[in-house]
Amino acid sequence: GINNPSARRLNLVFTGINYDVDTIRAIAESFIDWNQEEEGLFTIEPFKSNKGKFNIWYINKTLTLESDITEWGDESGDWGYTDMIKNCSLPNWYGYVFVNKPGRSSSGFGPNSATVILSEGDSGPAAPIHETGHLIGNLADEYPGGRQE
């Protein structure tokens, strides 16, 4: 495999909400595009030439929320995914949580943080790649004329 847990690498950790484990794995593999067959993360620089600096992990569990998922930051908090990712006990992890709900994605910044990608089904790699810029690159959004909501 590609993983080397003892190596000093960035650990990309994938899970989901209101998806099954197989669907999360398929969405993540499409986004990662390790073999560089489509337009995923490892087809663009600087990721393409630094593949050896990443481990890829899937949490063999997803969350199902019975109630309707409302806005980010409501009383449901992080919907329970933070503890699930932290329990994987990997150092230097970057979490990806795919949520089966339309809406606006959001991201943390830096290691031991996560990005939440909201979409119905696999919407392709564009949103996760964008959120990776925040998560791994600590990049902020820039808008002409200032921040847009």
Side-chain angles (χ1 to χ4, degrees):
I2 60 171
N3 289 345
N4 181 349
S6 62
R8 226 177 133 209
R9 295 181 177 181
L10 280 68
N11 292 294
L12 306 186
V13 181
F14 295 88
T15 189
I17 298 175
N18 292 347
Y19 283 113
D20 61 61
V21 173
D22 291 335
T23 301
I24 290 300
R25 187 174 182 113
I27 291 170
E29 287 175 356
S30 173
F31 157 62
I32 294 165
D33 195 9
W34 190 260
N35 296 323
Q36 301 171 345
E37 297 169 346
E38 300 293 329
E39 296 179 359
L41 183 66
F42 289 108
T43 66
I44 58 174
E45 295 293 351
F47 304 102
K48 182 178 182 177
S49 58
N50 288 287
K51 284 173 42 173
K53 296 179 181 177
F54 292 87
N55 289 321
I56 311 298
W57 305 97
Y58 306 95
I59 296 177
N60 200 21
K61 177 183 176 184
T62 60
L63 297 174
T64 301
L65 298 179
E66 299 295 328
S67 62
D68 184 39
I69 301 170
T70 57
E71 293 299 315
W72 175 254
D74 67 2
E75 71 240 15
S76 64
D78 68 10
W79 305 317
Y81 71 83
T82 301
D83 288 338
M84 190 165 57
I85 294 176
K86 284 182 181 176
N87 287 337
C88 70
S89 72
L90 293 167
N92 205 27
W93 59 264
Y94 295 81
Y96 290 82
V97 182
F98 291 93
V99 182
N100 190 6
K101 174 196 185 320
R104 185 174 180 182
S105 300
S106 64
S107 184
F109 291 86
N112 305 324
S113 187
T115 184
V116 177
I117 293 101
L118 292 107
S119 68
E120 289 181 305
D122 183 358
S123 61
I129 289 172
H130 171 91
E131 298 303 335
T132 298
H134 301 303
L135 185 64
I136 295 175
N138 289 321
L139 301 173
D141 286 327
E142 294 183 17
Y143 300 98
R147 180 138 177 99
Q148 298 175 354
E149 295 299 323

